[in-house]
Amino acid sequence: MTVWDDLVGQERVSEQLAAAARDADAFVTAAASDVPPPEASRMTHAWLFTGPPGAGRNQAARAFAAALQCVSPDRALGGAPGCGFCDGCHTALVGTHADVSTVAAVGSQILVEAMRDTVRKSFTAPANGRWQVILVEDAERLNEKSANAVLKAVEEPAPRTVWLLCAPSVEDVLPTIRSRCRHLVLSTPSVEAVADMLVRREGIEPDVAAAVARATQGHVDRARRLATDPAARARRAAVLKLPLRVEDVGGALRAAQELVDAAAEDAKQLAEERDGKETEDLKAALGAAQGGRIPRGTAGAVKDLEEMQKRRRTRTQRDSLDVALADLTSFYRDVLALQLGSRIALANTDAEDALERLARSSTPESTLRRIEAIAACGEALDRNVAPLLAVEAMTMALRAG
């Protein structure tokens, strides 16, 4: 099973990356043996992966990072890098490779403080791998200072350093950065491709795999989570009941409160799993005894960690709300399809009764206004409007139609 197997429905991108990985392998091998490298190369020092949510931007970048670090002996026999089994591939895929650094937004932005050490590391030679790989998962969240730091590193990279930037679209990245990157565009995988992946990789029953792939409209990560996590299925079922609960003002406000509370609870559960261990690990690294006080002068480091964890909880809550908004948009899209007599397949077949009820009791114009209200809620959350206020405004608009 190669590293490219997780790139669902991205055959063209996989072929381009595999070719670049072969040229990168030839470059490193030639450098080690004092043989001139090939003149024509499909490898370059900076890559930009773009595509819609769920297309697998981060997975594609990480698979490429693994192929660049591949140390399989089969390469010497003509095998392609990216075997998926060797130590280089495995550690790069799970995020423990010493020469693969990952930067992701903890809050709404990637701060320059989070980039400084990474940029500094990018100018060093690989410690034990074949390349120094820097993976920026949320390049659209680079603020002005952190983007400038990345720009300087991308302009004059070290000979064996590769930057992999991921963003929803090329417009989300500074022109000065994207002009120095090779651009790869990923597309939304087909429902059939996602369902096939769930059956092959997760052992999901074909009927269930097809249903969750259809419900998530090709979003690979959400489809995998729906298929394997009962709590995720329960949250989605609750969201799909919301359109029938906003018939009066009280119902609309209660639905908004419950939606925000569910997102906050989701963030709290994830935080409880990570925050305590991170705090204890940091205190141990600072020299505190088990359960004891931290040494004098180290309180600032603990405070910085707590602030980071707070930003991460806010981001997690936002991500949970984004999933709910996507489910609601999908629901009203199905309503509109029924109202217009469209032949496209419904995404939410498990809520068909509710879809038909709303389709009969409203007009296509009101359905479009409701879809616009959901989009406006997402934009308000992007502007850091308080989640409850943004969601209440949305549910009241859904009620008004």
Side-chain angles (χ1 to χ4, degrees), residues 206-373:
D207 291 346
V208 176
V212 297
R214 189 167 53 248
T216 56
Q217 292 295 285
H219 193 299
V220 178
D221 290 337
R222 289 187 58 211
R224 182 183 286 112
R225 189 172 184 186
L226 268 185
T228 58
D229 184 0
R233 292 194 293 272
R235 282 193 295 272
R236 175 177 173 272
V239 169
L240 295 185
K241 292 177 182 177
L242 185 145
L244 299 180
R245 300 180 54 205
V246 296
E247 295 178 350
D248 57 74
V249 173
L253 297 179
R254 283 193 298 274
Q257 183 69 63
E258 291 173 12
L259 193 61
V260 173
D261 287 346
E265 182 62 26
D266 194 24
K268 180 182 176 182
Q269 289 179 357
L270 290 174
E272 288 175 348
E273 296 173 4
R274 296 179 299 193
D275 291 3
K277 185 177 186 305
E278 285 179 345
T279 302
E280 289 303 318
D281 289 346
L282 176 62
K283 289 181 177 179
L286 294 174
Q290 183 70 28
R293 298 180 61 181
I294 60 174
R296 181 175 299 177
T298 60
V302 176
K303 184 178 180 181
D304 289 343
L305 175 62
E306 291 172 347
E307 290 177 353
M308 183 276 289
Q309 291 171 340
K310 182 178 179 181
R311 292 197 302 271
R312 187 171 60 194
R313 283 194 293 272
T314 301
R315 172 76 187 276
T316 304
Q317 183 179 10
R318 269 297 320 278
D319 290 345
S320 183
L321 286 174
D322 284 343
V323 170
L325 296 183
D327 287 334
L328 280 174
T329 302
S330 172
F331 181 94
Y332 283 109
R333 165 195 169 276
D334 284 350
V335 171
L336 186 63
L338 291 174
Q339 290 172 328
L340 298 178
S342 173
R343 295 183 178 180
I344 64 172
L346 298 180
N348 303 284
T349 53
D350 51 341
E352 198 162 355
D353 290 343
L355 294 173
E356 292 178 351
R357 175 179 166 182
L358 280 180
R360 289 192 303 267
S361 62
S362 62
T363 64
E365 292 77 12
S366 65
T367 302
L368 284 172
R369 286 194 294 271
R370 285 166 171 149
I371 292 174
E372 290 172 355

Side-chain angles (χ1 to χ4, degrees), residues 9-17 184-187:
Q10 310 294 344
E11 289 76 12
R12 180 181 58 82
V13 170
S14 297
E15 291 173 1
Q16 290 178 276
L17 293 175
L184 292 179
V185 182
L186 284 76
S187 57

Side-chain angles (χ1 to χ4, degrees), residues 114-143:
M115 289 302 307
R116 281 179 181 146
D117 289 342
T118 303
V119 168
R120 193 178 298 113
K121 184 179 180 181
S122 74
F123 290 106
T124 64
N128 51 30
R130 299 171 68 78
W131 293 87
Q132 187 74 260
V133 181
I134 311 297
L135 169 56
V136 183
E137 292 188 345
D138 307 284
E140 76 279 10
R141 296 181 183 271
L142 290 165
N143 63 19

